[in-house]
């Protein structure tokens, strides 16, 4: 049994599905502890709902500087506050480029560096050299999907491809079997009654076309549940255009909820919609867990033409691929209509293959062998 420390910056460990799944997989054969900087910047200790001990670190630099500035100072403080604690670890599993100082300054073959996004910080030539040092020192550098890994290889950021691997963001069996209920589920069931509804999640960022999606939803005439937060600017514009009564009759907003509460909202939905714009490489080569959550529960989807979603959905007839990146309301409305007319075909296809989209503990544990 190895001692594995997980390093992360997170909005909250109950909301971070990738960290939750990896920790559950790792703790089946290892001792696991999390060191985290939370968005709340709290300093506390405890156990997550999934049974992993954690310690959250408070950073003075986060109080002094705005959230998107002086990241190197914050990264340095995080490093100096925690590196001594890591001496008892056999392996450190560091999440996102925010933690780059740890594998950079470590002994060789101690770190797994898990990049949730494409690392923009390392695009300049002088930073590529630092990335290559980390690459040489790390056990593995992980990516969210093969397309992102291939892209980084094509631009020369990845030099030693054997050091790299990917783990798709599939839901695990705990998520799929969850019966956990958030405080709003009872209200939602009373609201939706026995009517069909669409499932939406992840509208918290403008790059995910929240305004266009909400407008199409309210005009298509099908009730919808929106899980998670919604981009404030988009929500304000949306509420100016439609009456409160109209919105409340068509859309149920849950707000932010824990990952394991989501299952109850997906299981009875008809289909889901997932779109990303093309404003960045991360968006183009997206890896949305809400896509796989829907597919693994046998729900067809409507997706934008981002290649990582387009190839999967179009090649396997799991739903409809838009001709754009989700920015056109009329195109989305046409696709909702097309989904309704061809629903049985899409539903039958995904329910044959839904088990292909389930997280496997083996894929995580083999990375530390």
């Amino acid at each position: 049994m190895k001692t594995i420390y997980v390093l992360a910056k997170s909005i909250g460990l109950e909301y971070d599905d990738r960290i939750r799944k990896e920790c559950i997989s790792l703790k089946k054969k290892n001792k696991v502890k999390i060191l985290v900087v939370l968005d709340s910047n709290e300093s506390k200790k405890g156990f997550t709902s999934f049974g992993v001990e954690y310690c959250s670190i408070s950073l003075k630099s986060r109080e002094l500087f705005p959230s998107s500035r002086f990241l190197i100072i914050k990264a340095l403080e995080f490093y100096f506050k925690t590196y001594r604690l890591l001496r008892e670890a056999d392996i450190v599993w560091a999440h996102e480029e925010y933690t780059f100082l740890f594998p950079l300054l470590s002994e060789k073959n101690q770190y797994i560096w898990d990049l949730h996004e494409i690392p923009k910080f390392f695009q300049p030539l002088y930073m590529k050299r630092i990335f290559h040092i980390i690459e040489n020192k790390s056990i593995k550098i992980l990516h969210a999907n093969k397309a992102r890994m291939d892209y980084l290889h094509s631009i020369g950021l990845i030099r030693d491809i054997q050091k790299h691997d990917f783990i798709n963001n599939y839901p695990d069996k705990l998520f799929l079997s969850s019966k956990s209920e958030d405080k709003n589920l009872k209200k939602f069931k009373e609201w939706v009654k026995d009517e069909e509804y669409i499932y939406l999640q992840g509208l918290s960022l403008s790059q995910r076309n929240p305004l266009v999606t909400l407008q199409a939803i309210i005009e298509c005439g099908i009730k919808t549940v929106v899980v998670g937060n919604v981009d404030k600017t988009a929500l304000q514009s949306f509420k100016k255009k439609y009456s409160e009564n109209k919105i409340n009759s068509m859309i149920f907003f849950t707000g932010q909820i824990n990952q394991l509460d989501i299952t109850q909202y997906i299981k009875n939905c008809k289909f889901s919609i997932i779109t990303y714009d093309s404003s960045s490489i991360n968006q183009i080569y997206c890896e949305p867990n809400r896509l796989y959550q829907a597919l693994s529960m046998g729900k067809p989807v409507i997706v934008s033409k981002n290649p990582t979603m387009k190839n999967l959905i179009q090649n396997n007839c799991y739903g409809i691929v838009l001709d754009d990146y989700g920015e056109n309301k009329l195109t989305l409305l046409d696709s909702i209509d097309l989904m309704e007319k061809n629903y049985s075909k899409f539903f039958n296809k995904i329910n044959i293959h839904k088990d292909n989209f389930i997280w496997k503990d083996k894929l995580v544990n083999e990375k530390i062998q």
Side-chain angles (χ1 to χ4, degrees):
M1 178 177 284
K2 293 179 173 139
T3 298
I4 299 176
Y5 271 69
V6 173
L7 290 173
K9 176 182 177 294
S10 177
I11 185 174
L13 295 173
E14 302 302 327
Y15 307 127
D16 201 317
D17 201 42
R18 189 174 179 91
I19 291 176
R20 179 188 69 82
K21 289 179 294 194
E22 287 177 349
C23 285
I24 289 172
S25 295
L26 290 168
K27 79 184 187 77
K28 289 181 178 179
K29 294 186 176 181
N30 307 279
K31 179 183 176 183
V32 180
K33 185 174 181 179
I34 302 171
L35 298 177
V36 63
V37 173
L38 297 172
D39 278 9
S40 62
N41 204 29
E42 294 175 85
S43 177
K44 59 180 181 179
K45 296 180 180 180
F47 284 83
T48 65
S49 65
F50 44 93
V52 175
E53 185 180 2
Y54 74 89
C55 175
S56 64
I57 310 296
S58 176
L59 302 181
K60 289 184 179 179
S61 55
R62 294 195 72 213
E63 298 173 0
L64 294 173
F65 304 116
S67 59
S68 59
R69 301 182 63 189
F70 300 100
L71 295 180
I72 189 65
I73 294 176
K74 296 168 188 174
L76 278 165
E77 186 183 359
F78 186 33
Y79 176 80
F80 284 116
K81 277 195 169 183
T82 56
Y83 80 97
R84 288 186 181 87
L85 301 174
L86 301 174
R87 289 175 180 171
E88 63 183 75
D90 297 305
I91 293 172
V92 180
W93 195 296
H95 284 266
E96 303 188 80
E97 58 183 323
Y98 184 87
T99 62
F100 79 95
L101 285 174
F102 291 89
L104 176 65
L105 302 176
S106 71
E107 298 293 326
K108 191 171 182 179
N109 294 328
Q110 187 188 9
Y111 275 75
I112 290 173
W113 196 26
D114 194 333
L115 296 173
H116 296 204
E117 309 285 347
I118 288 174
K120 295 182 291 185
F121 189 57
F122 295 90
Q123 302 292 321
L125 181 60
Y126 71 95
M127 290 304 297
K128 278 187 179 180
R129 291 170 181 158
I130 292 175
F131 186 91
H132 293 152
I133 294 172
I134 296 173
E135 182 182 55
N136 180 57
K137 283 188 167 188
S138 297
I139 300 169
K140 281 284 182 186
I141 297 178
L142 299 179
H143 307 269
N145 58 41
K146 189 175 185 300
R148 290 184 182 180
M149 190 172 77
D150 290 344
Y151 167 76
L152 293 174
H153 195 208
S154 72
I155 65 170
L157 189 60
I158 289 177
R159 187 166 57 184
D160 182 0
I161 194 66
Q162 300 303 316
K163 284 273 188 163
H164 296 259
D165 207 342
F166 64 94
I167 300 178
N168 289 110
N169 213 6
Y170 297 158
D172 60 359
K173 291 180 179 178
L174 183 61
F175 175 88
L176 296 174
S177 63
S178 174
K179 291 180 171 54
S180 179
E181 299 183 3
D182 79 305
K183 63 182 180 181
N184 289 316
L185 185 65
K186 184 178 178 181
K187 290 181 183 177
F188 169 71
K189 288 180 176 179
E190 292 171 352
W191 174 83
V192 78
K193 298 174 182 167
D194 294 322
E195 296 179 57
E196 294 179 339
Y197 67 92
I198 298 169
Y199 173 83
L200 291 181
Q201 183 192 339
L203 300 183
S204 59
L205 300 175
S206 61
Q207 297 91 333
R208 298 171 184 177
N209 305 302
L211 181 56
V212 170
T213 305
L214 290 173
Q215 288 175 339
I217 283 299
I218 208 164
E219 293 179 23
C220 77
I222 306 173
K223 283 188 170 183
T224 297
V225 62
V226 177
V227 170
N229 295 328
V230 179
D231 176 75
K232 289 181 180 179
T233 303
L235 190 58
Q236 287 173 355
S237 297
F238 179 64
K239 287 182 175 180
K240 285 180 182 178
K241 185 168 183 178
Y242 301 96
S243 71
E244 184 177 351
N245 286 341
K246 179 69 171 175
I247 293 172
N248 291 341
S249 68
M250 293 302 302
I251 302 177
F252 188 97
F253 295 95
T254 70
Q256 191 82 6
I257 64 175
N258 290 347
Q259 280 293 319
L260 295 181
D261 295 335
I262 290 173
T263 310
Q264 298 301 313
Y265 290 99
I266 299 177
K267 75 174 187 178
N268 292 317
C269 80
K270 190 167 188 182
F271 62 90
S272 188
I273 301 170
I274 304 101
T275 70
Y276 285 79
D277 68 19
S278 58
S279 60
S280 72
I281 293 297
N282 268 311
Q283 300 295 118
I284 292 171
Y285 296 126
C286 58
E287 180 69 8
N289 64 342
R290 62 193 184 281
L291 169 67
Y292 298 128
Q293 286 170 352
L295 294 178
S296 66
M297 296 184 73
K299 306 300 179 180
V301 293
I302 296 172
V303 301
S304 49
K305 68 174 185 177
N306 312 63
T308 45
M309 295 195 293
K310 177 182 177 179
N311 295 339
L312 176 63
I313 303 309
Q314 190 168 271
N315 293 347
N316 296 286
C317 200
Y318 295 152
I320 296 168
V321 178
L322 301 171
D323 293 330
D324 55 32
Y325 287 98
E327 68 272 18
N328 189 306
K329 181 182 70 175
L330 294 178
T331 302
L332 188 51
L333 279 168
D334 287 342
S335 295
I336 292 171
D337 185 55
L338 192 61
M339 171 65 79
E340 290 279 276
K341 291 175 180 176
N342 296 275
Y343 185 76
S344 295
K345 177 178 70 174
F346 301 135
F347 179 83
N348 291 336
K349 268 286 189 178
I350 183 53
N351 275 276
I352 292 171
H353 301 121
K354 64 182 181 179
D355 289 348
N356 294 341
F357 303 101
I358 298 177
W359 182 272
K360 295 178 176 61
D361 294 330
K362 179 182 176 183
L363 293 179
V364 176
N365 283 299
E366 69 184 12
K367 305 298 184 281
I368 62 173
Q369 302 304 316

